[in-house]
Amino acid sequence: MSEQLADAAPDAVRHAATTRDHVRRLREFRKRALRGDELATERQHAKGKLTARQRLEHLLDSGSFTEFDLFRRPSPGSPVPAYCTDGVVTGAGTVHGRKVFVVAQDFRILGGSLGEAHAAKIHKVMDLAIAAGAPLVALLDSGGARIQEGVTALAGYGGIFRRNVRASGVIPQISVVLGPCAGGAAYSPALTDFTFLVRNISHMFVTGPDVIKTVTGESVTHEELGGAQVHAATSGVASFVSDDEATCLDDVRHLISLLPSNSHDLPPSYETDDPADRRCPRLVDIVPASPKVPYDVREVIAEIVDDAEFMEVHEHWAENLVCVLARMGGRTVGILANQPLVRAGVLDIDTSQKGARFVQMCDAFSIPLVTLVDVPGFLPGVDQEHDGIIRHGAKLLYAYCNATVPRVQVILRKAYGGAYIAMDSRSIGADLSFAWPINEIAVMGAEAAVGVIYRKELAAVDDPEQRRSQLIAEYTEELMHPYYASERGLVDDVIDPADTRVVLIRALELLSDKRPELMPRKHGNPPA
């Protein structure tokens, strides 16, 4: 929209003689404000990007959008042109009939840069979302802080961050990066529950390539520095990555359908044609009995959830732990599972962070937790120790111990050492624990245990290998048989793998009215 168009409204209103004239002028002004600058729209489309309003049309149910502050402009005397909306479309609508509040930055207007009026619009919608107890979705496409407005732009970001934190754990907050998101702006998505990025369109970084080149001498492209794949696989910033905007917005709609509106509501439940008593005989063939043979745990998840459908969070980061949202018996459930295909499913720094964040999100929004265990332990190594595996592993322990939602553990195969404890064992508060008849629960594997316990004896015998094999068999028979933990009350039942879905749905139903008893405190102090 041109500056002349924006300035035309006062004259139009001033010369209107009747109410009908006022209404006609309003309609014209609104039409022009909604249409915007057609050349800027063409430039947006040339980049393979939708406009802010097109994105909202795709995200929200048809005809449900109510816009706020269409005519908002910078204050008189502002150093920037006074365009309607000031580069951000805000309002509310519905997704699958459920209320959501939305923010969509409009790159066509001043590059979607954030100034005082722009920030005030976002603040208003965030406050309304918190007050109404409804999800907030932010579609981000901005050049960053508006330099011409100086410190007031920075203060605008501060107001957003403060509201992100106020809303944390109260309402679902979803960030969708559909263009640049640089500098301080990048911290708002980091404070929200989920972040979506689109390949070849989304770019997030605190300092851009030009600054890095000047300061460090390193040459890097926008895509290499902060593209979608980088944040999906390396930094862990991206919860989800899509190939195009339409798919991304469809995924946002699906995610909203899995979440409650706020922390006081339960996630919505849906009728399903997938029977709750459906047995899963394929599970016996998917998971090999030998703890050394890999398999894809996502096949196990697909077998036990409704209609084999699930939404994987951080799919490309810390892949040795799988975290998904799905439905079982029509109800949303969060599933964490070790992934034997990647590093044998071992826990490390990244998986500890990934798992802790997912557990905290599920607990905040009353989503029951199912933990599928097949873990050889924590990853050993100097780098892991020096980079803080103790501190980061404690995050996963803290998150599980602090969670008050229904928690059910299933030990599929092996569960060794501290990693067994960290994967929601009964000892840290799992409500129910089940195990398959191929389970092995121990401090460590039999071979390693024998090497430690019988080190001197093995060094003294004539045939150490034969004696080692004998001791391994004895250790396994006495301390690692499938019923050892069950005999001591640490596993509630040893089940047929084919019954896993049935057992889990029944367990979650039994726990559905669980009410936590919390110690009075201001807040905990989780590991940094």
Side-chain angles (χ1 to χ4, degrees):
M1 183 188 301
S2 69
E3 186 176 0
Q4 291 76 15
L5 173 58
D7 288 337
D11 289 336
V13 173
R14 202 163 40 240
H15 293 103
T18 68
T19 300
R20 289 185 182 276
D21 289 333
H22 278 285
V23 172
R24 180 171 56 81
R25 296 292 187 184
L26 169 63
R27 289 173 179 168
E28 291 176 358
F29 189 29
R30 182 182 297 276
K31 182 178 179 180
R32 292 174 184 176
L34 292 173
R35 183 174 66 241
D37 188 325
E38 294 182 357
L39 288 177
T41 300
E42 290 176 7
R43 287 193 296 269
Q44 185 83 343
H45 289 166
K47 297 175 184 176
K49 297 164 63 176
L50 301 174
T51 66
R53 296 185 185 281
Q54 288 171 334
R55 289 164 176 164
L56 289 174
E57 287 175 3
H58 195 110
L59 173 68
L60 301 173
D61 296 339
S62 179
S64 70
F65 181 52
T66 298
E67 184 168 355
F68 310 145
D69 291 322
L70 170 63
F71 302 128
R72 183 68 185 264
R73 297 190 289 176
S75 303
S78 171
V80 297
Y83 298 109
C84 283
T85 75
D86 199 41
V88 61
V89 181
T90 59
T94 61
V95 172
H96 300 301
R98 297 170 59 219
K99 178 172 52 187
V100 298
F101 286 80
V102 291
V103 169
Q105 291 180 314
D106 192 342
F107 196 82
R108 301 174 305 162
I109 298 176
L110 300 172
S113 60
L114 184 139
E116 185 177 15
H118 183 120
K121 291 181 64 174
I122 296 176
H123 296 168
K124 177 192 287 188
V125 169
M126 296 180 78
D127 290 340
L128 288 170
I130 296 169
L136 175 71
V137 181
L139 309 181
L140 305 175
D141 189 0
S142 170
R146 192 171 296 166
I147 298 172
Q148 301 94 318
E149 296 193 27
V151 70
T152 56
L154 298 179
Y157 276 123
I160 292 172
F161 302 157
R162 179 163 57 89
R163 288 168 173 83
N164 283 141
V165 174
R166 278 181 52 210
S168 182
V170 179
I171 58 171
Q173 298 180 84
I174 301 171
S175 298
V176 189
V177 181
L178 299 170
C181 184
Y187 285 108
S188 180
L191 290 168
T192 59
D193 300 300
F194 301 96
T195 302
F196 288 77
L197 274 72
V198 177
R199 291 184 177 88
N200 303 315
I201 289 179
S202 308
H203 297 106
M204 292 180 68
F205 36 74
V206 175
T207 52
D210 293 339
V211 175
I212 289 176
K213 176 70 173 178
T214 300
V215 175
T216 70
E218 298 173 281
S219 294
V220 64
T221 66
H222 287 78
E223 191 68 23
E224 292 168 340
L225 179 63
Q229 194 58 35
V230 168
H231 288 307
T234 305
S235 73
V237 169
S239 309
F240 304 98
V241 174
S242 304
D243 291 325
D244 56 74
E245 290 193 38
T247 301
C248 177
L249 295 171
D250 286 340
D251 288 344
V252 174
R253 286 177 58 86
H254 181 54
L255 175 62
I256 292 171
S257 76
L258 291 165
L259 301 174
S261 293
N262 57 66
S263 58
H264 295 291
D265 288 348
L266 294 175
S269 59
Y270 296 86
E271 293 293 329
T272 176
D273 294 329
D274 195 346
D277 60 355
R278 172 175 58 81
R279 301 184 78 245
C280 308
R282 278 196 67 240
L283 291 176
V284 176
D285 299 317
I286 291 172
V287 182
S290 170
K292 296 182 179 179
V293 179
Y295 63 92
D296 190 345
V297 77
R298 286 173 295 196
E299 292 186 40
V300 175
I301 295 171
E303 279 291 309
I304 64 175
V305 302
D306 293 352
D307 304 311
E309 293 182 353
F310 57 86
M311 192 170 192
E312 186 170 353
V313 184
H314 292 297
E315 178 182 357
H316 304 288
W317 178 59
E319 295 176 280
N320 31 326
L321 183 71
V322 174
C323 299
V324 309
L325 290 170
R327 292 191 180 95
M328 299 188 72
R331 297 180 179 180
T332 301
V333 62
I335 301 176
L336 294 88
N338 305 110
Q339 175 57 289
L341 275 185
V342 181
R343 288 184 164 184
V346 71
L347 291 181
D348 55 22
I349 288 173
D350 286 346
T351 54
S352 297
Q353 294 182 30
K354 175 179 176 177
R357 174 75 168 166
F358 186 75
V359 169
Q360 288 170 173
M361 182 279 299
C362 289
D363 188 49
F365 296 115
S366 303
I367 298 173
L369 289 163
V370 171
T371 305
L372 305 180
V373 185
D374 190 349
V375 63
F378 279 97
L379 180 65
V382 174
D383 288 344
Q384 286 286 306
E385 296 293 347
H386 287 185
D387 290 340
I389 185 62
I390 296 173
R391 179 165 48 86
H392 294 291
K395 293 178 182 178
L396 182 59
L397 281 165
Y398 189 99
Y400 267 126
C401 290
N402 202 46
T404 60
V405 292
R407 293 155 51 188
V408 183
Q409 179 197 51
V410 181
I411 299 166
L412 305 183
R413 202 166 56 170
K414 59 187 177 295
Y416 297 156
Y420 154 68
I421 302 172
M423 290 297 291
D424 204 21
S425 65
R426 284 295 304 273
S427 60
I428 65 169
D431 297 296
L432 292 169
S433 177
F434 302 98
W436 287 6
I438 56 173
N439 80 83
E440 292 182 359
I441 307 173
V443 175
M444 61 183 69
E447 293 181 11
V450 166
V452 173
I453 298 170
Y454 302 103
R455 181 177 66 253
K456 292 182 180 179
E457 178 181 339
L458 290 171
V461 299
D462 294 333
D463 190 349
E465 290 307 315
Q466 180 181 355
R467 181 57 178 157
R468 182 189 302 275
S469 298
Q470 181 182 353
L471 290 170
I472 288 172
E474 292 175 359
Y475 183 91
T476 302
E477 179 66 24
E478 292 176 12
L479 298 176
M480 294 181 64
H481 63 79
Y483 305 97
Y484 186 84
S486 180
E487 290 170 356
R488 283 148 186 82
L490 296 174
V491 166
D492 293 289
D493 197 8
V494 179
I495 64 172
D496 183 340
D499 292 329
T500 303
R501 171 179 165 84
V502 178
V503 168
L504 283 172
I505 291 177
R506 287 178 179 173
L508 293 172
E509 176 62 30
L510 289 172
L511 296 167
S512 61
D513 293 325
K514 177 185 176 182
R515 294 293 179 265
E517 294 182 8
L518 300 176
M519 293 288 290
R521 61 178 176 178
K522 185 176 181 181
H523 57 73
N525 184 24

